Amino acid sequence: MGMPPLELAEQVAATPWQRLGGCLIVPGMWTAECLTCGQRETVEGGPADFTATPAPDRTVARAITGYAARCREQLDQTTTSVVSHAGLWLLLASAAERATGDDRASLEEILGMSLDEASAAGRRLLAQPHPTLAAAAGAWAAADAVTPVGVERPIPDQASLDAWAAEYTRGLIDRFPLEVTELTRIVLATALVLEPRWTERLVADGAWLRLTGGLQTIVETRAAGLVVVAKPHSQDGIDVISVRAHPRTKPAQVWQAVDEVVALLDDGGLWHAERPGGLQANGFGWRVRTTSVQMTEGERSRLPTDVMGRPQQWRSRVPAWAAQEMLDLTDAPGVAEVAAVILPEEPDAVTSCVQTVRAEYDAYGFRAAALTALDRVGSMPPQLKQVEVERVDLDFRAPHAVVAVARGGAWEGVPLVSAWIGGANHGDSDVEALELLADTDPEEAAGLRGYKEQQMRNRGELPSV
């Protein structure tokens, strides 16, 4: 008989996202099938070909999923075109560890785990490389700001923060979402970027794209009833899952159904080319019909089959789309508590939390980036004091030399480029005299300015009017 060895069957059974199938008559004709995507691999040999993989720890994933659901409900985000709750969760988790008292208890409930665990999880997510996902975090504070959070000082200027945004979102976002001023006391930011590519390009189908492989299925959910699901194959460690429910289903219920679908996928309970028994031939998002299609025997052998052994050809029409948002997340769960933690001695400082996020879905893959920033801005400008100083002004408005010198390694000390900056020598001209006079007697300087400017024009030091 063609039964696989008992040890082999036990090993596959211990891995919930795999199943074993084959022929009971002909030995050696068994295949291992991934339940999440339908990909199959022919099994040759004994049980050593199978290794039961321990289920991954999804504690953080569940915490962020719960946080996303809370945000959608509290911020009315069920139809927001695009948002990254993971980016906001990561920002909060990176600073929440120092919270105490009621704020600490509240943040633990909001973030879905103890703050020590959340902080450790945040550091782990930032430190561990991923094939196509990159994450970064930044924290900056004014020189005199008191904060328990590890920061760089001082706060960079706007151009530098824009450059930081572009670098850590691979150019998808080129502007920092918050504007910094001299009143800004502290800034926290996280950046996420992901660019998975489909294993097979989606085919243009009029105004739509057609998915012929990947994972396509119809699932019965508790929250939304029947939903249709499509997920192109990606080799980059990112699943991009599209879920459609009946048009009369409320968006909040659709998102609950999405969570159910993802949980099924995680647990190996979502199978390609599966649909509930007794399903009608036509529904809100599907149509089943029998047709004749020309294909090779190899193509035929790769098609999934129903319980009667009939080949099935699943196709999904999906849109190419792009979305971009700038979201005010100041009222998001946990923001006020973290704001109090990061600047404890300035309770009157104003808090802002903003996210710039964009995503694109096309025939080649999926691209998305999110930059989340939180700042606290002082309500009063810094107090200025009158201080007597000895001012030293250096003047290079005369011919001078410039040299660029290498530092470090074998090039240490080498003068790389030298330049001579020519031009008029203003050091002994009336330009300097006017400036010195303006410092000591502004009124007299104003009276003499016209006369001296005319003299300078006569000498060619100023252009003629």
Side-chain angles (χ1 to χ4, degrees):
M1 297 292 287
M3 291 291 291
L6 177 61
E7 295 84 357
L8 176 59
E10 289 176 344
Q11 289 185 27
V12 173
T15 309
W17 45 88
Q18 284 186 333
R19 68 176 173 184
L20 193 63
C23 178
L24 295 177
I25 305 301
V26 181
M29 296 297 291
W30 288 79
T31 59
E33 180 176 7
C34 175
L35 304 184
T36 67
C37 64
Q39 295 184 95
R40 298 179 179 181
E41 182 177 354
T42 301
V43 178
E44 297 291 348
D49 293 335
F50 282 87
T51 301
T53 305
D57 183 0
R58 294 195 174 91
T59 304
V60 176
R62 287 192 293 268
I64 297 177
T65 299
Y67 182 73
R70 183 191 291 262
C71 286
R72 290 192 193 100
E73 179 181 0
Q74 293 190 14
L75 302 180
D76 192 22
Q77 290 182 331
T78 55
T79 57
T80 298
S81 65
V82 60
V83 61
S84 173
H85 296 113
L88 178 55
W89 188 95
L90 185 59
L91 185 149
L92 300 178
S94 67
E97 188 177 18
R98 300 303 183 96
T100 59
D102 293 342
D103 283 346
R104 187 174 188 88
S106 177
L107 281 170
E108 289 185 337
E109 194 269 331
I110 289 170
L111 296 179
M113 60 178 60
S114 76
L115 296 192
D116 290 341
E117 292 175 322
S119 179
R123 290 191 294 267
R124 190 166 60 249
L125 292 174
L126 291 168
Q128 292 185 356
H130 186 279
T132 190
L133 185 153
W140 306 272
D144 61 337
V146 178
T147 176
V149 179
V151 295
E152 298 180 42
R153 301 176 192 266
I155 298 172
D157 60 19
Q158 197 68 46
S160 298
L161 289 175
D162 290 345
W164 189 91
E167 178 181 358
Y168 289 106
T169 63
R170 299 174 185 166
L172 292 179
I173 297 172
D174 58 7
R175 291 189 62 83
F176 199 77
L178 289 172
E179 183 176 349
V180 296
T181 70
E182 69 277 2
L183 298 181
T184 304
R185 306 295 290 151
I186 190 167
V187 179
L188 304 183
T190 59
L192 295 179
V193 59
L194 52 149
E195 298 179 285
R197 311 305 286 170
W198 311 140
T199 303
E200 296 182 4
R201 176 186 171 186
L202 307 188
V203 180
D205 186 3
W208 305 90
L209 300 173
R210 180 187 296 169
L211 170 66
T212 57
L215 185 153
Q216 302 176 71
T217 187
I218 303 173
V219 181
E220 181 78 40
T221 66
R222 296 185 302 275
L226 291 172
V227 298
V228 294
V229 179
K231 179 181 78 68
H233 287 327
S234 166
Q235 295 180 341
D236 298 315
I238 300 287
D239 288 331
V240 183
I241 308 159
S242 300
V243 178
R244 180 188 173 191
H246 193 282
R248 289 195 294 270
T249 306
K250 295 179 179 180
Q253 294 173 293
V254 177
W255 283 112
Q256 292 169 8
V258 169
D259 291 343
E260 291 184 48
V261 168
V262 173
L264 286 171
L265 184 64
D266 291 344
D267 294 337
L270 196 65
W271 297 4
H272 174 60
E274 295 285 340
R275 59 183 191 263
L279 188 71
Q280 294 182 350
N282 295 305
F284 65 86
W286 70 87
R287 182 177 66 159
V288 181
R289 59 194 174 98
T290 301
T291 186
S292 180
V293 180
Q294 288 188 334
M295 63 181 63
T296 66
E297 181 57 33
E299 292 171 333
R300 158 66 180 82
S301 66
R302 290 192 292 271
L303 292 178
T305 58
D306 63 13
V307 293
M308 302 299 294
R310 292 174 298 191
Q312 294 182 318
Q313 186 181 55
W314 285 66
R315 307 186 307 175
S316 294
R317 283 182 175 178
V318 295
W321 57 266
Q324 183 164 343
E325 290 273 8
M326 179 171 280
L327 304 169
D328 184 352
L329 302 178
T330 305
D331 295 329
V335 169
E337 291 84 350
V338 166
V341 169
I342 64 175
L343 205 63
E345 297 188 11
E346 300 183 43
D348 294 332
V350 177
T351 301
S352 297
C353 186
V354 178
Q355 182 180 89
T356 298
V357 57
R358 61 176 292 188
E360 302 170 3
Y361 187 112
D362 60 24
Y364 300 94
F366 181 73
R367 303 173 71 207
L371 201 152
T372 311
L374 183 154
D375 73 359
R376 300 204 69 193
V377 178
S379 56
M380 293 289 292
Q383 297 299 314
L384 301 180
K385 298 180 180 180
Q386 199 73 20
V387 180
E388 184 174 304
V389 299
E390 183 181 41
R391 176 178 291 169
V392 179
D393 294 319
L394 303 182
D395 192 345
F396 288 87
R397 296 174 301 168
H400 63 280
V402 177
V403 62
V405 179
R407 294 301 177 204
W411 289 84
E412 172 64 31
V414 176
L416 301 174
V417 178
S418 302
W420 179 258
I421 312 303
N425 187 342
H426 296 287
D428 297 326
S429 72
D430 285 340
V431 173
E432 185 177 63
L434 280 172
E435 290 181 352
L436 291 173
L437 187 59
D439 285 342
T440 57
D441 193 336
E443 292 184 3
E444 185 178 353
L448 293 174
R449 184 173 297 279
Y451 169 77
K452 290 186 175 292
E453 287 181 351
Q454 184 59 49
Q455 294 297 313
M456 294 165 65
R457 289 190 185 94
N458 294 340
R459 295 195 297 267
E461 296 174 1
L462 289 178
S464 300
V465 177

